[in-house]
Amino acid sequence: EVQLVESGGGSVKPGGSLKLSCVVSGFTFSTAWMTWVRQAPGKGLEWVGRVKPNVDGAATDYAAPVEGRFTISRDDSKNTVYLQMNSLETEDTAVYYCACFGQGAWGRGALVSVSS
Amino acid sequence: DIQMTQSPSSLSASVGDRVTFTCRASQSISSHLNWFQQKPGRAPKVLVFGASTLQSGVPSRFSGSGSGTDFSLTISGLQPEDFATYYCHQTFYAPITFGQGTRLEIK
C-alpha cells in the first residue's frame, strides 16, 4: 500500500523556522519526483516546490512566494522528503501536503500556523 | 504561469445523476492534467491522471477526457460518497498550478 505521512507541523512566530518531514512507503522512492503543496485555510491549493531523484541531481524547483526561504531535500536511505521553512510569514499558514504525482499519491497533510 | 479555470464553482445534484466538471488551461498542456477529489480532513484522492487514465482502484463511474486546453471529468451515477470538492491541476510546466475547485453538493 502506498503511504505518505507528514510530520513536523506546529505553531511558530513570524520570522521563525520549521522543518516538515514526509516518510514514504509502498513505491520506489529513489526514482520518484516528490512535491510539496499547501492549502491555506478556506483557500485553494498552491504548489510549493519539488525535488527530482538523485539521478537528476536532486534538482529542485520552487514557487515564487517561497523561493529563497524554503528548501526541499530528500534522503533516499530513509525514504523521506523534507521541507525546511525559514523566515516564515503569516501568509505561510496552511496545511502542507507531500505528494508524488507519478504515483497518484498524497499525504494527509501537516498544519503549519504562523502567528505572533 | 499557466492558469487553470474550473467550472462550475459549485454544483447541486442527486444520487444517481450524471455530472460533468470542466477545466480549462490558459495554454496547451497536452494531456498533462490530473483530477482529484478532496474531502475535509482527508488526503486528496487522485481519480484521473494523464487527462483520461483512471487511477487504480477508482470506480469506473469516473471518467476523464480532453487534451490541449479543455478537459472534463464525468461521474456517471452519483453515489453518496462522491459528494466532495474536485480539483484539476496541470503538471506540464512548473509552477504546477491548480484549478479553484468544484464543490459537489447533495440536492
Side-chain angles (χ1 to χ4, degrees), chain A residues 35 37 39 43-47 50 61 63 97 101 103-108, chain B residues 34 36 38 41-46 55 87 89 91 94-100:
Chain A
T35 296
V37 175
Q39 187 171 32
K43 303 292 186 181
L45 292 133
E46 180 184 27
W47 179 75
R50 66 185 177 191
D61 299 298
Y97 297 99
F101 295 148
Q103 292 291 327
W106 292 63
R108 293 191 64 173
Chain B
N34 299 344
F36 64 90
Q38 188 177 36
R42 304 273 297 273
K45 177 184 177 182
V46 175
Q55 180 76 11
Y87 292 92
H89 73 101
T91 59
I96 292 165
T97 46
F98 296 82
Q100 80 281 15

PDB file of all heavy atoms in Angstrom, chain A residues 35 37 39 43-47 50 61 63 97 101 103-108, chain B residues 34 36 38 41-46 55 87 89 91 94-100:
ATOM      1  N   THR A  35       6.857  16.203  -4.327  1.00  0.00           N
ATOM      2  CA  THR A  35       6.307  17.559  -4.392  1.00  0.00           C
ATOM      3  C   THR A  35       5.688  17.954  -3.053  1.00  0.00           C
ATOM      4  O   THR A  35       5.154  17.097  -2.332  1.00  0.00           O
ATOM      5  CB  THR A  35       5.228  17.599  -5.497  1.00  0.00           C
ATOM      6  OG1 THR A  35       5.829  17.349  -6.758  1.00  0.00           O
ATOM      7  CG2 THR A  35       4.516  18.942  -5.538  1.00  0.00           C
ATOM      8  N   VAL A  37       2.768  20.652  -1.579  1.00  0.00           N
ATOM      9  CA  VAL A  37       1.641  21.507  -1.941  1.00  0.00           C
ATOM     10  C   VAL A  37       1.041  22.027  -0.641  1.00  0.00           C
ATOM     11  O   VAL A  37       1.025  21.303   0.366  1.00  0.00           O
ATOM     12  CB  VAL A  37       0.569  20.708  -2.728  1.00  0.00           C
ATOM     13  CG1 VAL A  37      -0.663  21.561  -3.004  1.00  0.00           C
ATOM     14  CG2 VAL A  37       1.150  20.167  -4.031  1.00  0.00           C
ATOM     15  N   GLN A  39      -2.250  24.376   1.361  1.00  0.00           N
ATOM     16  CA  GLN A  39      -3.614  24.883   1.269  1.00  0.00           C
ATOM     17  C   GLN A  39      -3.888  25.749   2.492  1.00  0.00           C
ATOM     18  O   GLN A  39      -3.980  25.235   3.615  1.00  0.00           O
ATOM     19  CB  GLN A  39      -4.615  23.743   1.170  1.00  0.00           C
ATOM     20  CG  GLN A  39      -6.040  24.174   0.908  1.00  0.00           C
ATOM     21  CD  GLN A  39      -6.962  23.006   0.598  1.00  0.00           C
ATOM     22  OE1 GLN A  39      -6.782  21.898   1.098  1.00  0.00           O
ATOM     23  NE2 GLN A  39      -7.947  23.229  -0.266  1.00  0.00           N
ATOM     24  N   LYS A  43      -8.876  28.259   1.483  1.00  0.00           N
ATOM     25  CA  LYS A  43      -8.351  28.652   0.166  1.00  0.00           C
ATOM     26  C   LYS A  43      -8.098  27.441  -0.719  1.00  0.00           C
ATOM     27  O   LYS A  43      -8.275  26.294  -0.308  1.00  0.00           O
ATOM     28  CB  LYS A  43      -7.041  29.443   0.344  1.00  0.00           C
ATOM     29  CG  LYS A  43      -7.175  30.676   1.210  1.00  0.00           C
ATOM     30  CD  LYS A  43      -8.019  31.739   0.565  1.00  0.00           C
ATOM     31  CE  LYS A  43      -8.010  33.029   1.379  1.00  0.00           C
ATOM     32  NZ  LYS A  43      -8.868  34.086   0.772  1.00  0.00           N
ATOM     33  N   GLY A  44      -7.670  27.712  -1.930  1.00  0.00           N
ATOM     34  CA  GLY A  44      -7.336  26.656  -2.866  1.00  0.00           C
ATOM     35  C   GLY A  44      -5.952  26.112  -2.640  1.00  0.00           C
ATOM     36  O   GLY A  44      -5.275  26.438  -1.658  1.00  0.00           O
ATOM     37  N   LEU A  45      -5.509  25.279  -3.564  1.00  0.00           N
ATOM     38  CA  LEU A  45      -4.220  24.610  -3.429  1.00  0.00           C
ATOM     39  C   LEU A  45      -3.124  25.384  -4.134  1.00  0.00           C
ATOM     40  O   LEU A  45      -3.335  25.958  -5.210  1.00  0.00           O
ATOM     41  CB  LEU A  45      -4.317  23.204  -4.014  1.00  0.00           C
ATOM     42  CG  LEU A  45      -5.230  22.327  -3.176  1.00  0.00           C
ATOM     43  CD1 LEU A  45      -6.203  21.574  -4.048  1.00  0.00           C
ATOM     44  CD2 LEU A  45      -4.412  21.364  -2.350  1.00  0.00           C
ATOM     45  N   GLU A  46      -1.951  25.390  -3.532  1.00  0.00           N
ATOM     46  CA  GLU A  46      -0.811  26.106  -4.083  1.00  0.00           C
ATOM     47  C   GLU A  46       0.414  25.198  -4.076  1.00  0.00           C
ATOM     48  O   GLU A  46       0.808  24.666  -3.033  1.00  0.00           O
ATOM     49  CB  GLU A  46      -0.521  27.369  -3.255  1.00  0.00           C
ATOM     50  CG  GLU A  46       0.653  28.171  -3.759  1.00  0.00           C
ATOM     51  CD  GLU A  46       0.971  29.369  -2.872  1.00  0.00           C
ATOM     52  OE1 GLU A  46       0.660  29.316  -1.668  1.00  0.00           O
ATOM     53  OE2 GLU A  46       1.543  30.356  -3.380  1.00  0.00           O
ATOM     54  N   TRP A  47       1.015  25.042  -5.239  1.00  0.00           N
ATOM     55  CA  TRP A  47       2.257  24.269  -5.343  1.00  0.00           C
ATOM     56  C   TRP A  47       3.371  25.014  -4.646  1.00  0.00           C
ATOM     57  O   TRP A  47       3.539  26.224  -4.846  1.00  0.00           O
ATOM     58  CB  TRP A  47       2.568  24.071  -6.819  1.00  0.00           C
ATOM     59  CG  TRP A  47       3.802  23.317  -7.154  1.00  0.00           C
ATOM     60  CD1 TRP A  47       3.999  21.970  -7.067  1.00  0.00           C
ATOM     61  CD2 TRP A  47       5.013  23.851  -7.696  1.00  0.00           C
ATOM     62  NE1 TRP A  47       5.258  21.639  -7.510  1.00  0.00           N
ATOM     63  CE2 TRP A  47       5.894  22.783  -7.909  1.00  0.00           C
ATOM     64  CE3 TRP A  47       5.443  25.141  -8.031  1.00  0.00           C
ATOM     65  CZ2 TRP A  47       7.170  22.949  -8.425  1.00  0.00           C
ATOM     66  CZ3 TRP A  47       6.707  25.308  -8.543  1.00  0.00           C
ATOM     67  CH2 TRP A  47       7.570  24.221  -8.737  1.00  0.00           C
ATOM     68  N   ARG A  50       9.276  21.141  -5.641  1.00  0.00           N
ATOM     69  CA  ARG A  50       9.500  19.713  -5.872  1.00  0.00           C
ATOM     70  C   ARG A  50      10.987  19.408  -5.890  1.00  0.00           C
ATOM     71  O   ARG A  50      11.822  20.308  -6.092  1.00  0.00           O
ATOM     72  CB  ARG A  50       8.872  19.273  -7.188  1.00  0.00           C
ATOM     73  CG  ARG A  50       9.526  19.882  -8.411  1.00  0.00           C
ATOM     74  CD  ARG A  50       8.802  19.512  -9.694  1.00  0.00           C
ATOM     75  NE  ARG A  50       9.397  20.174 -10.849  1.00  0.00           N
ATOM     76  CZ  ARG A  50       8.843  20.202 -12.059  1.00  0.00           C
ATOM     77  NH1 ARG A  50       7.671  19.572 -12.276  1.00  0.00           N
ATOM     78  NH2 ARG A  50       9.427  20.818 -13.063  1.00  0.00           N
ATOM     79  N   ASP A  61      12.771  22.811  -7.732  1.00  0.00           N
ATOM     80  CA  ASP A  61      12.061  23.970  -8.266  1.00  0.00           C
ATOM     81  C   ASP A  61      11.154  24.480  -7.156  1.00  0.00           C
ATOM     82  O   ASP A  61      10.608  23.678  -6.392  1.00  0.00           O
ATOM     83  CB  ASP A  61      11.175  23.588  -9.470  1.00  0.00           C
ATOM     84  CG  ASP A  61      11.953  23.027 -10.631  1.00  0.00           C
ATOM     85  OD1 ASP A  61      12.794  23.764 -11.161  1.00  0.00           O
ATOM     86  OD2 ASP A  61      11.721  21.856 -10.991  1.00  0.00           O
ATOM     87  N   ALA A  63       8.045  27.571  -5.940  1.00  0.00           N
ATOM     88  CA  ALA A  63       7.113  28.633  -6.296  1.00  0.00           C
ATOM     89  C   ALA A  63       7.713  29.970  -5.880  1.00  0.00           C
ATOM     90  O   ALA A  63       8.462  30.052  -4.893  1.00  0.00           O
ATOM     91  CB  ALA A  63       5.777  28.408  -5.583  1.00  0.00           C
ATOM     92  N   TYR A  97       0.932  19.495   2.263  1.00  0.00           N
ATOM     93  CA  TYR A  97       0.831  18.110   1.805  1.00  0.00           C
ATOM     94  C   TYR A  97       2.092  17.725   1.044  1.00  0.00           C
ATOM     95  O   TYR A  97       2.607  18.516   0.238  1.00  0.00           O
ATOM     96  CB  TYR A  97      -0.335  17.940   0.833  1.00  0.00           C
ATOM     97  CG  TYR A  97      -1.702  18.208   1.396  1.00  0.00           C
ATOM     98  CD1 TYR A  97      -2.334  19.426   1.193  1.00  0.00           C
ATOM     99  CD2 TYR A  97      -2.392  17.216   2.092  1.00  0.00           C
ATOM    100  CE1 TYR A  97      -3.610  19.672   1.687  1.00  0.00           C
ATOM    101  CE2 TYR A  97      -3.676  17.454   2.594  1.00  0.00           C
ATOM    102  CZ  TYR A  97      -4.263  18.677   2.386  1.00  0.00           C
ATOM    103  OH  TYR A  97      -5.531  18.904   2.874  1.00  0.00           O
ATOM    104  N   PHE A 101       3.081  12.828  -7.650  1.00  0.00           N
ATOM    105  CA  PHE A 101       2.087  12.829  -8.717  1.00  0.00           C
ATOM    106  C   PHE A 101       2.246  11.611  -9.616  1.00  0.00           C
ATOM    107  O   PHE A 101       1.259  11.090 -10.129  1.00  0.00           O
ATOM    108  CB  PHE A 101       2.187  14.110  -9.542  1.00  0.00           C
ATOM    109  CG  PHE A 101       1.844  15.365  -8.780  1.00  0.00           C
ATOM    110  CD1 PHE A 101       2.467  16.556  -9.089  1.00  0.00           C
ATOM    111  CD2 PHE A 101       0.912  15.357  -7.759  1.00  0.00           C
ATOM    112  CE1 PHE A 101       2.156  17.721  -8.391  1.00  0.00           C
ATOM    113  CE2 PHE A 101       0.593  16.513  -7.054  1.00  0.00           C
ATOM    114  CZ  PHE A 101       1.224  17.705  -7.377  1.00  0.00           C
ATOM    115  N   GLN A 103       2.842   8.668  -8.767  1.00  0.00           N
ATOM    116  CA  GLN A 103       2.168   7.537  -8.132  1.00  0.00           C
ATOM    117  C   GLN A 103       0.707   7.840  -7.826  1.00  0.00           C
ATOM    118  O   GLN A 103      -0.013   6.978  -7.321  1.00  0.00           O
ATOM    119  CB  GLN A 103       2.878   7.168  -6.814  1.00  0.00           C
ATOM    120  CG  GLN A 103       4.258   6.595  -7.005  1.00  0.00           C
ATOM    121  CD  GLN A 103       4.224   5.222  -7.639  1.00  0.00           C
ATOM    122  OE1 GLN A 103       3.303   4.430  -7.419  1.00  0.00           O
ATOM    123  NE2 GLN A 103       5.211   4.927  -8.476  1.00  0.00           N
ATOM    124  N   GLY A 104       0.294   9.073  -8.071  1.00  0.00           N
ATOM    125  CA  GLY A 104      -1.070   9.461  -7.733  1.00  0.00           C
ATOM    126  C   GLY A 104      -1.323   9.410  -6.244  1.00  0.00           C
ATOM    127  O   GLY A 104      -2.394   9.008  -5.786  1.00  0.00           O
ATOM    128  N   ALA A 105      -0.327   9.811  -5.458  1.00  0.00           N
ATOM    129  CA  ALA A 105      -0.405   9.654  -4.013  1.00  0.00           C
ATOM    130  C   ALA A 105      -0.161  10.971  -3.297  1.00  0.00           C
ATOM    131  O   ALA A 105       0.740  11.736  -3.673  1.00  0.00           O
ATOM    132  CB  ALA A 105       0.615   8.622  -3.546  1.00  0.00           C
ATOM    133  N   TRP A 106      -0.948  11.209  -2.259  1.00  0.00           N
ATOM    134  CA  TRP A 106      -0.823  12.376  -1.407  1.00  0.00           C
ATOM    135  C   TRP A 106      -0.825  11.924   0.046  1.00  0.00           C
ATOM    136  O   TRP A 106      -1.444  10.928   0.390  1.00  0.00           O
ATOM    137  CB  TRP A 106      -2.020  13.315  -1.596  1.00  0.00           C
ATOM    138  CG  TRP A 106      -2.139  14.011  -2.907  1.00  0.00           C
ATOM    139  CD1 TRP A 106      -2.318  13.442  -4.143  1.00  0.00           C
ATOM    140  CD2 TRP A 106      -2.145  15.423  -3.112  1.00  0.00           C
ATOM    141  NE1 TRP A 106      -2.426  14.411  -5.097  1.00  0.00           N
ATOM    142  CE2 TRP A 106      -2.324  15.639  -4.500  1.00  0.00           C
ATOM    143  CE3 TRP A 106      -2.019  16.526  -2.263  1.00  0.00           C
ATOM    144  CZ2 TRP A 106      -2.365  16.925  -5.050  1.00  0.00           C
ATOM    145  CZ3 TRP A 106      -2.069  17.793  -2.815  1.00  0.00           C
ATOM    146  CH2 TRP A 106      -2.242  17.980  -4.193  1.00  0.00           C
ATOM    147  N   GLY A 107      -0.170  12.705   0.898  1.00  0.00           N
ATOM    148  CA  GLY A 107      -0.293  12.503   2.325  1.00  0.00           C
ATOM    149  C   GLY A 107      -1.525  13.206   2.864  1.00  0.00           C
ATOM    150  O   GLY A 107      -2.256  13.878   2.123  1.00  0.00           O
ATOM    151  N   ARG A 108      -1.750  13.054   4.189  1.00  0.00           N
ATOM    152  CA  ARG A 108      -2.913  13.679   4.814  1.00  0.00           C
ATOM    153  C   ARG A 108      -2.655  15.117   5.218  1.00  0.00           C
ATOM    154  O   ARG A 108      -3.594  15.836   5.576  1.00  0.00           O
ATOM    155  CB  ARG A 108      -3.358  12.863   6.028  1.00  0.00           C
ATOM    156  CG  ARG A 108      -3.893  11.505   5.681  1.00  0.00           C
ATOM    157  CD  ARG A 108      -4.557  10.840   6.850  1.00  0.00           C
ATOM    158  NE  ARG A 108      -5.741  11.592   7.287  1.00  0.00           N
ATOM    159  CZ  ARG A 108      -6.582  11.167   8.213  1.00  0.00           C
ATOM    160  NH1 ARG A 108      -6.376  10.013   8.810  1.00  0.00           N
ATOM    161  NH2 ARG A 108      -7.629  11.883   8.573  1.00  0.00           N
TER     162      ARG A 108
ATOM    163  N   ASN B  34      -4.379  16.225 -14.254  1.00  0.00           N
ATOM    164  CA  ASN B  34      -4.864  15.262 -13.259  1.00  0.00           C
ATOM    165  C   ASN B  34      -6.126  15.808 -12.596  1.00  0.00           C
ATOM    166  O   ASN B  34      -6.284  17.028 -12.456  1.00  0.00           O
ATOM    167  CB  ASN B  34      -3.820  14.996 -12.175  1.00  0.00           C
ATOM    168  CG  ASN B  34      -2.535  14.410 -12.726  1.00  0.00           C
ATOM    169  OD1 ASN B  34      -2.489  13.913 -13.855  1.00  0.00           O
ATOM    170  ND2 ASN B  34      -1.484  14.475 -11.938  1.00  0.00           N
ATOM    171  N   PHE B  36      -8.439  15.248  -8.947  1.00  0.00           N
ATOM    172  CA  PHE B  36      -8.523  14.576  -7.668  1.00  0.00           C
ATOM    173  C   PHE B  36      -9.705  15.098  -6.869  1.00  0.00           C
ATOM    174  O   PHE B  36     -10.261  16.153  -7.144  1.00  0.00           O
ATOM    175  CB  PHE B  36      -7.208  14.669  -6.880  1.00  0.00           C
ATOM    176  CG  PHE B  36      -6.799  16.051  -6.472  1.00  0.00           C
ATOM    177  CD1 PHE B  36      -7.206  16.585  -5.257  1.00  0.00           C
ATOM    178  CD2 PHE B  36      -5.968  16.803  -7.278  1.00  0.00           C
ATOM    179  CE1 PHE B  36      -6.800  17.850  -4.867  1.00  0.00           C
ATOM    180  CE2 PHE B  36      -5.557  18.079  -6.892  1.00  0.00           C
ATOM    181  CZ  PHE B  36      -5.972  18.596  -5.693  1.00  0.00           C
ATOM    182  N   GLN B  38     -11.291  15.856  -2.980  1.00  0.00           N
ATOM    183  CA  GLN B  38     -10.887  16.194  -1.619  1.00  0.00           C
ATOM    184  C   GLN B  38     -12.100  16.272  -0.701  1.00  0.00           C
ATOM    185  O   GLN B  38     -13.094  16.930  -1.040  1.00  0.00           O
ATOM    186  CB  GLN B  38     -10.109  17.507  -1.574  1.00  0.00           C
ATOM    187  CG  GLN B  38      -9.496  17.795  -0.200  1.00  0.00           C
ATOM    188  CD  GLN B  38      -8.673  19.059  -0.162  1.00  0.00           C
ATOM    189  OE1 GLN B  38      -8.991  20.049  -0.814  1.00  0.00           O
ATOM    190  NE2 GLN B  38      -7.596  19.043   0.626  1.00  0.00           N
ATOM    191  N   GLY B  41     -10.454  17.177   5.912  1.00  0.00           N
ATOM    192  CA  GLY B  41      -9.627  16.396   6.816  1.00  0.00           C
ATOM    193  C   GLY B  41      -9.035  15.131   6.235  1.00  0.00           C
ATOM    194  O   GLY B  41      -8.385  14.368   6.953  1.00  0.00           O
ATOM    195  N   ARG B  42      -9.251  14.914   4.944  1.00  0.00           N
ATOM    196  CA  ARG B  42      -8.750  13.690   4.324  1.00  0.00           C
ATOM    197  C   ARG B  42      -7.665  14.020   3.295  1.00  0.00           C
ATOM    198  O   ARG B  42      -7.621  15.124   2.757  1.00  0.00           O
ATOM    199  CB  ARG B  42      -9.896  12.956   3.614  1.00  0.00           C
ATOM    200  CG  ARG B  42     -11.075  12.629   4.491  1.00  0.00           C
ATOM    201  CD  ARG B  42     -10.914  11.317   5.201  1.00  0.00           C
ATOM    202  NE  ARG B  42     -10.845  10.186   4.306  1.00  0.00           N
ATOM    203  CZ  ARG B  42     -11.913   9.525   3.853  1.00  0.00           C
ATOM    204  NH1 ARG B  42     -13.135   9.867   4.232  1.00  0.00           N
ATOM    205  NH2 ARG B  42     -11.755   8.495   3.052  1.00  0.00           N
ATOM    206  N   ALA B  43      -6.809  13.057   3.016  1.00  0.00           N
ATOM    207  CA  ALA B  43      -5.819  13.234   1.956  1.00  0.00           C
ATOM    208  C   ALA B  43      -6.539  13.343   0.618  1.00  0.00           C
ATOM    209  O   ALA B  43      -7.501  12.616   0.368  1.00  0.00           O
ATOM    210  CB  ALA B  43      -4.859  12.047   1.936  1.00  0.00           C
ATOM    211  N   PRO B  44      -6.076  14.230  -0.244  1.00  0.00           N
ATOM    212  CA  PRO B  44      -6.629  14.256  -1.602  1.00  0.00           C
ATOM    213  C   PRO B  44      -6.513  12.879  -2.248  1.00  0.00           C
ATOM    214  O   PRO B  44      -5.526  12.174  -2.047  1.00  0.00           O
ATOM    215  CB  PRO B  44      -5.754  15.281  -2.316  1.00  0.00           C
ATOM    216  CG  PRO B  44      -5.287  16.192  -1.227  1.00  0.00           C
ATOM    217  CD  PRO B  44      -5.063  15.284  -0.044  1.00  0.00           C
ATOM    218  N   LYS B  45      -7.519  12.519  -3.010  1.00  0.00           N
ATOM    219  CA  LYS B  45      -7.547  11.226  -3.667  1.00  0.00           C
ATOM    220  C   LYS B  45      -7.507  11.425  -5.182  1.00  0.00           C
ATOM    221  O   LYS B  45      -8.407  12.045  -5.747  1.00  0.00           O
ATOM    222  CB  LYS B  45      -8.823  10.469  -3.287  1.00  0.00           C
ATOM    223  CG  LYS B  45      -8.981   9.119  -3.984  1.00  0.00           C
ATOM    224  CD  LYS B  45     -10.313   8.480  -3.633  1.00  0.00           C
ATOM    225  CE  LYS B  45     -10.514   7.161  -4.371  1.00  0.00           C
ATOM    226  NZ  LYS B  45     -11.826   6.567  -4.068  1.00  0.00           N
ATOM    227  N   VAL B  46      -6.439  10.930  -5.805  1.00  0.00           N
ATOM    228  CA  VAL B  46      -6.311  11.082  -7.245  1.00  0.00           C
ATOM    229  C   VAL B  46      -7.308  10.169  -7.951  1.00  0.00           C
ATOM    230  O   VAL B  46      -7.409   8.981  -7.647  1.00  0.00           O
ATOM    231  CB  VAL B  46      -4.874  10.772  -7.699  1.00  0.00           C
ATOM    232  CG1 VAL B  46      -4.768  10.808  -9.218  1.00  0.00           C
ATOM    233  CG2 VAL B  46      -3.902  11.770  -7.073  1.00  0.00           C
ATOM    234  N   GLN B  55      -7.064   6.219 -12.178  1.00  0.00           N
ATOM    235  CA  GLN B  55      -6.142   5.720 -11.155  1.00  0.00           C
ATOM    236  C   GLN B  55      -6.633   4.358 -10.672  1.00  0.00           C
ATOM    237  O   GLN B  55      -7.843   4.120 -10.562  1.00  0.00           O
ATOM    238  CB  GLN B  55      -6.078   6.715  -9.993  1.00  0.00           C
ATOM    239  CG  GLN B  55      -5.167   6.344  -8.840  1.00  0.00           C
ATOM    240  CD  GLN B  55      -3.705   6.543  -9.155  1.00  0.00           C
ATOM    241  OE1 GLN B  55      -3.353   7.148 -10.169  1.00  0.00           O
ATOM    242  NE2 GLN B  55      -2.842   6.046  -8.294  1.00  0.00           N
ATOM    243  N   TYR B  87     -10.782  18.900  -7.885  1.00  0.00           N
ATOM    244  CA  TYR B  87      -9.771  19.818  -8.401  1.00  0.00           C
ATOM    245  C   TYR B  87      -9.084  19.204  -9.625  1.00  0.00           C
ATOM    246  O   TYR B  87      -8.871  17.995  -9.694  1.00  0.00           O
ATOM    247  CB  TYR B  87      -8.682  20.086  -7.364  1.00  0.00           C
ATOM    248  CG  TYR B  87      -9.120  20.857  -6.153  1.00  0.00           C
ATOM    249  CD1 TYR B  87      -9.568  20.207  -5.011  1.00  0.00           C
ATOM    250  CD2 TYR B  87      -9.050  22.256  -6.135  1.00  0.00           C
ATOM    251  CE1 TYR B  87      -9.952  20.914  -3.884  1.00  0.00           C
ATOM    252  CE2 TYR B  87      -9.422  22.974  -5.003  1.00  0.00           C
ATOM    253  CZ  TYR B  87      -9.870  22.293  -3.892  1.00  0.00           C
ATOM    254  OH  TYR B  87     -10.245  22.998  -2.778  1.00  0.00           O
ATOM    255  N   HIS B  89      -5.405  19.818 -11.936  1.00  0.00           N
ATOM    256  CA  HIS B  89      -4.118  20.509 -11.923  1.00  0.00           C
ATOM    257  C   HIS B  89      -3.271  20.035 -13.089  1.00  0.00           C
ATOM    258  O   HIS B  89      -3.387  18.903 -13.556  1.00  0.00           O
ATOM    259  CB  HIS B  89      -3.387  20.352 -10.589  1.00  0.00           C
ATOM    260  CG  HIS B  89      -2.797  19.013 -10.312  1.00  0.00           C
ATOM    261  ND1 HIS B  89      -1.456  18.735 -10.467  1.00  0.00           N
ATOM    262  CD2 HIS B  89      -3.336  17.866  -9.866  1.00  0.00           C
ATOM    263  CE1 HIS B  89      -1.203  17.486 -10.129  1.00  0.00           C
ATOM    264  NE2 HIS B  89      -2.347  16.931  -9.755  1.00  0.00           N
ATOM    265  N   THR B  91       0.494  19.381 -14.830  1.00  0.00           N
ATOM    266  CA  THR B  91       1.867  19.018 -14.469  1.00  0.00           C
ATOM    267  C   THR B  91       2.808  19.209 -15.652  1.00  0.00           C
ATOM    268  O   THR B  91       3.892  18.641 -15.694  1.00  0.00           O
ATOM    269  CB  THR B  91       1.923  17.551 -13.996  1.00  0.00           C
ATOM    270  OG1 THR B  91       1.440  16.697 -15.052  1.00  0.00           O
ATOM    271  CG2 THR B  91       1.091  17.348 -12.744  1.00  0.00           C
ATOM    272  N   ALA B  94       6.369  23.846 -14.699  1.00  0.00           N
ATOM    273  CA  ALA B  94       6.489  24.443 -13.368  1.00  0.00           C
ATOM    274  C   ALA B  94       6.335  25.961 -13.531  1.00  0.00           C
ATOM    275  O   ALA B  94       6.869  26.526 -14.487  1.00  0.00           O
ATOM    276  CB  ALA B  94       7.834  24.107 -12.745  1.00  0.00           C
ATOM    277  N   PRO B  95       5.626  26.617 -12.613  1.00  0.00           N
ATOM    278  CA  PRO B  95       4.988  26.062 -11.435  1.00  0.00           C
ATOM    279  C   PRO B  95       3.721  25.265 -11.768  1.00  0.00           C
ATOM    280  O   PRO B  95       2.935  25.678 -12.620  1.00  0.00           O
ATOM    281  CB  PRO B  95       4.630  27.290 -10.607  1.00  0.00           C
ATOM    282  CG  PRO B  95       4.405  28.364 -11.628  1.00  0.00           C
ATOM    283  CD  PRO B  95       5.396  28.075 -12.716  1.00  0.00           C
ATOM    284  N   ILE B  96       3.580  24.118 -11.126  1.00  0.00           N
ATOM    285  CA  ILE B  96       2.354  23.344 -11.248  1.00  0.00           C
ATOM    286  C   ILE B  96       1.208  24.179 -10.701  1.00  0.00           C
ATOM    287  O   ILE B  96       1.349  24.817  -9.651  1.00  0.00           O
ATOM    288  CB  ILE B  96       2.508  22.023 -10.496  1.00  0.00           C
ATOM    289  CG1 ILE B  96       3.537  21.158 -11.218  1.00  0.00           C
ATOM    290  CG2 ILE B  96       1.172  21.310 -10.333  1.00  0.00           C
ATOM    291  CD1 ILE B  96       4.056  20.001 -10.429  1.00  0.00           C
ATOM    292  N   THR B  97       0.119  24.210 -11.394  1.00  0.00           N
ATOM    293  CA  THR B  97      -0.998  25.063 -10.994  1.00  0.00           C
ATOM    294  C   THR B  97      -2.294  24.262 -10.924  1.00  0.00           C
ATOM    295  O   THR B  97      -2.477  23.277 -11.653  1.00  0.00           O
ATOM    296  CB  THR B  97      -1.149  26.252 -11.954  1.00  0.00           C
ATOM    297  OG1 THR B  97      -1.068  25.788 -13.318  1.00  0.00           O
ATOM    298  CG2 THR B  97      -0.053  27.282 -11.718  1.00  0.00           C
ATOM    299  N   PHE B  98      -3.174  24.749 -10.046  1.00  0.00           N
ATOM    300  CA  PHE B  98      -4.418  24.076  -9.744  1.00  0.00           C
ATOM    301  C   PHE B  98      -5.615  24.925 -10.138  1.00  0.00           C
ATOM    302  O   PHE B  98      -5.548  26.165 -10.100  1.00  0.00           O
ATOM    303  CB  PHE B  98      -4.514  23.809  -8.234  1.00  0.00           C
ATOM    304  CG  PHE B  98      -3.465  22.861  -7.699  1.00  0.00           C
ATOM    305  CD1 PHE B  98      -2.199  23.315  -7.403  1.00  0.00           C
ATOM    306  CD2 PHE B  98      -3.759  21.530  -7.509  1.00  0.00           C
ATOM    307  CE1 PHE B  98      -1.223  22.449  -6.918  1.00  0.00           C
ATOM    308  CE2 PHE B  98      -2.809  20.647  -7.024  1.00  0.00           C
ATOM    309  CZ  PHE B  98      -1.533  21.114  -6.737  1.00  0.00           C
ATOM    310  N   GLY B  99      -6.708  24.264 -10.469  1.00  0.00           N
ATOM    311  CA  GLY B  99      -7.973  24.957 -10.577  1.00  0.00           C
ATOM    312  C   GLY B  99      -8.465  25.316  -9.186  1.00  0.00           C
ATOM    313  O   GLY B  99      -7.938  24.843  -8.175  1.00  0.00           O
ATOM    314  N   GLN B 100      -9.496  26.144  -9.134  1.00  0.00           N
ATOM    315  CA  GLN B 100     -10.012  26.620  -7.851  1.00  0.00           C
ATOM    316  C   GLN B 100     -10.976  25.630  -7.211  1.00  0.00           C
ATOM    317  O   GLN B 100     -11.399  25.823  -6.069  1.00  0.00           O
ATOM    318  CB  GLN B 100     -10.690  27.992  -8.012  1.00  0.00           C
ATOM    319  CG  GLN B 100     -12.101  27.944  -8.569  1.00  0.00           C
ATOM    320  CD  GLN B 100     -12.171  27.769 -10.079  1.00  0.00           C
ATOM    321  OE1 GLN B 100     -11.199  27.410 -10.739  1.00  0.00           O
ATOM    322  NE2 GLN B 100     -13.348  28.015 -10.625  1.00  0.00           N
TER     323      GLN B 100
END
